[in-house]
Amino acid sequence: MNIMVLGSGGREYSIGRMLDKDEAVDKLYFAPGNGATSRLGENIEIKDYNELAQFAVDNEIDLTIVGPEAPLVDGVVDIFKAKGLNIFGPSKEAARLEGSKVYMKNFLAKYNIPTAAYIETDHIETAFKFIDTLTAPIVVKADGLCGGKGVIIAASKDEAKKAVSQMLSGKSFGDAGKNVIVEEFLDGYELSMFAICDGKDYILLPAAQDHKRLLDADKGPNTGGMGAYAPTPLVDEELYQKVKDRIIRPTLDGMQSENAPFEGVLFIGIMVVDNEPITLEFNVRFGDPECEILMPLMLTPASELFYKAATKQLDTLHVSFSNQYAVGVVMASENYPYKSSKPAEIVVDDIVHDEIEQNAHISYAGVSEEDGVLYATGGRVLVCVGVGDSIKQARDRAYMLCGQVHFSGKKLRTDIAYQAL
Ligand code: AMP
Ligand code: GLY
């Protein structure tokens, strides 16, 4: 099977790493990939989606897997399908679950899927009136994609009103803020859950926890995610069942009723409040760094899983997961998440320790390559992943590997998985 992976992050590297080890895979392409994916397959420099689809036809690519949200929201899946190609990801219409928070919230309300009480409006007085009925903190969200920055947790009513004014005037997020959501603050613990969907059936992966803040003890600014682990012991069978019955099943059925069957990864951001799962948001792709820790726990070959999902055959697939744990620690560059940093050479010590050699690895993200040397060029540079029989063992292995990776200005959290330990 020839497979192409769209994207350039650690998420795409980790999918590629599994495909590289997969006996069913012949040729592997990344578009555009990064400085390390070229060690797993071939990087393709085509940006236009129509040209990329033609490349897939010409090179007999049997399956394309889309990593990030932007191409999905832009409709890359529709373009590939129009050429009769197999592609794993939601259509442009279904990708609105992530592309528009207003669409998502109204969908949740229509199908009685639990979510925070909210209003959606482009009218400042309506927003202010609703804010006056809430108690702080109050959550204000821009409608469109804002690269993870469009959510404001306001500490007071005044701050919430200021955030609404700035969004509606187009000052803070341009067109993405022309509609806003104002919602109640949910106080609980957060989970990331991922369902691989084929429109009708789905496979739920082990629940993960991300660490969104830059610094230890969840301090500092929000980031794309500084580390993750799975499965989390915070979820028991009862909670998994509630998520399936109250969120995933009604979402797949609802999207079918909307004539936008959901294919791809449904990423459910969940807040657990008094043991009840409430939907914070949907994304229509894997989380990053969550993907990097979920991939090593999959025992079913990745080619089979994604191919069956893309061809609506999940009902014939039995997926098995390892009974181990995985912990991923992000190493970011000096100025992340504020601005870019100077390229820095990455040096990985020779790994002489068998335990690390066999149970830990690096998923590369923001890196470029020159003459066989890797340079840190992105915000999140790489993820050190450890696997083990307990969360503690997996975490210790991840951190041991971190100690062997060097680049100028490297930055990491030292408390990944603290909630489980
Ligand atoms: P979102 O992009 O909607 O997931 O929001 C980003 C982050 O803001 C989430 O991961 C939560 O940590 C936080 N958040 C969003 N909505 C709420 C809410 N209603 N209550 C509490 N925290 C929230
Ligand atoms: N790690 C969270 C995300 O990918 O959105």
Side-chain angles (χ1 to χ4, degrees):
M1 202 188 294
N2 299 326
I3 301 188
M4 177 158 69
V5 179
L6 303 194
S8 63
R11 169 179 48 207
E12 290 76 22
Y13 183 96
S14 70
I15 294 171
R17 182 177 168 273
M18 298 309 286
L19 294 171
D20 182 45
K21 294 196 289 195
D22 186 330
E23 282 172 6
V25 179
D26 300 312
K27 193 98 197 266
L28 183 57
Y29 299 93
F30 296 88
N34 62 41
T37 55
S38 51
R39 296 173 176 181
L40 304 172
E42 187 180 332
N43 286 355
I44 303 299
E45 280 300 329
I46 301 174
K47 290 206 175 71
D48 180 83
Y49 300 140
N50 286 295
E51 284 176 36
L52 211 48
Q54 191 55 47
F55 176 86
V57 172
D58 296 344
N59 290 275
E60 295 173 356
I61 290 175
D62 302 289
L63 173 68
T64 298
I65 300 168
V66 190
E69 62 274 21
L72 295 168
V73 171
D74 289 344
V76 73
V77 166
D78 309 67
I79 291 170
F80 272 60
K81 284 193 173 169
K83 285 199 187 289
L85 292 159
N86 292 320
I87 182 163
F88 177 69
S91 65
K92 182 173 185 164
E93 180 67 19
R96 292 174 74 200
L97 281 181
E98 174 163 0
S100 166
K101 289 197 192 289
V102 168
Y103 175 87
M104 183 254 306
K105 290 293 284 192
N106 290 344
F107 173 86
L108 292 173
K110 180 170 173 185
Y111 292 97
N112 290 315
I113 299 166
T115 190
Y118 75 104
I119 57 153
E120 161 271 289
T121 185
D122 59 0
H123 189 247
I124 198 158
E125 289 308 323
T126 313
F128 282 14
K129 240 191 232 158
F130 186 68
I131 288 171
D132 284 328
T133 69
L134 299 174
T135 38
I138 293 164
V139 184
V140 180
K141 302 183 177 182
D143 177 34
L145 290 181
C146 303
K149 300 189 180 72
V151 176
I152 309 286
I153 314 279
S156 66
K157 290 184 184 182
D158 282 347
E159 201 184 302
K161 287 179 182 174
K162 197 170 142 205
V164 165
S165 310
Q166 286 184 341
M167 282 185 197
L168 289 180
S169 68
K171 252 187 219 149
S172 35
F173 302 109
D175 281 349
K178 287 279 163 75
N179 264 308
V180 297
I181 303 278
V182 179
E183 69 180 29
E184 65 172 334
F185 178 81
L186 300 172
D187 196 5
Y189 62 89
E190 241 178 295
L191 300 174
S192 304
M193 290 230 212
F194 300 88
I196 309 245
C197 306
D198 70 0
K200 193 166 46 52
D201 294 298
Y202 69 90
I203 285 157
L204 183 58
L205 306 188
Q209 273 198 310
D210 187 13
H211 298 65
K212 290 210 163 100
R213 303 293 200 96
L214 181 69
L215 306 173
D216 283 5
D218 295 323
K219 298 272 189 327
N222 261 326
T223 69
M226 292 299 290
Y229 73 96
T232 168
L234 301 174
V235 181
D236 58 13
E237 269 316 308
E238 196 186 334
L239 193 60
Y240 275 116
Q241 202 56 47
K242 284 180 183 170
V243 171
K244 289 180 183 175
D245 296 344
R246 297 181 193 171
I247 302 176
I248 304 176
R249 185 38 57 203
T251 297
L252 290 188
D253 292 348
M255 290 302 278
Q256 280 188 307
S257 309
E258 299 290 315
N259 283 321
F262 190 86
E263 298 172 25
V265 180
L266 184 69
F267 168 174
I268 313 153
I270 293 171
M271 189 73 87
V272 181
V273 183
D274 298 332
N275 247 336
E276 304 297 329
I278 319 270
T279 316
L280 279 180
E281 65 161 346
F282 284 138
N283 295 307
V284 299
R285 40 121 189 134
F286 270 118
D288 191 345
E290 291 96 322
C291 188
E292 288 92 315
I293 49 136
L294 290 170
M295 285 299 121
L297 298 177
M298 301 273 328
L299 298 180
T300 306
S303 63
E304 191 183 358
L305 173 67
F306 293 122
Y307 186 81
K308 289 216 158 161
T311 53
K312 303 189 178 52
Q313 303 181 69
L314 283 183
D315 57 341
T316 68
L317 182 71
H318 177 76
V319 175
S320 44
F321 301 106
S322 139
N323 50 19
Q324 290 190 300
Y325 296 84
V327 173
V329 179
V330 171
M331 296 179 86
S333 57
E334 190 169 12
N335 302 322
Y336 182 72
Y338 303 105
K339 54 183 173 117
S340 55
S341 312
K342 272 208 310 270
E345 182 177 343
I346 301 171
V347 177
V348 181
D349 297 339
D350 282 338
I351 297 179
V352 286
H353 209 304
D354 266 359
E355 185 188 339
I356 300 304
E357 177 73 37
Q358 283 155 28
N359 297 291
H361 66 269
I362 299 173
S363 256
Y364 288 99
V367 299
S368 64
E369 190 257 355
E370 217 181 295
D371 300 329
V373 176
L374 287 180
Y375 292 86
T377 44
R380 290 188 294 171
V381 175
L382 55 86
V383 187
C384 290
V385 179
V387 175
D389 295 332
S390 65
I391 292 175
K392 185 175 179 310
Q393 190 179 50
R395 189 196 60 167
D396 289 347
R397 288 171 173 168
Y399 278 112
M400 273 196 254
L401 182 55
C402 287
Q404 304 201 254
V405 179
H406 315 278
F407 56 91
S408 167
K410 80 172 185 187
K411 181 146 103 179
L412 70 162
R413 272 181 69 156
T414 64
D415 66 345
I416 300 305
Y418 76 91
Q419 293 197 67
L421 292 168

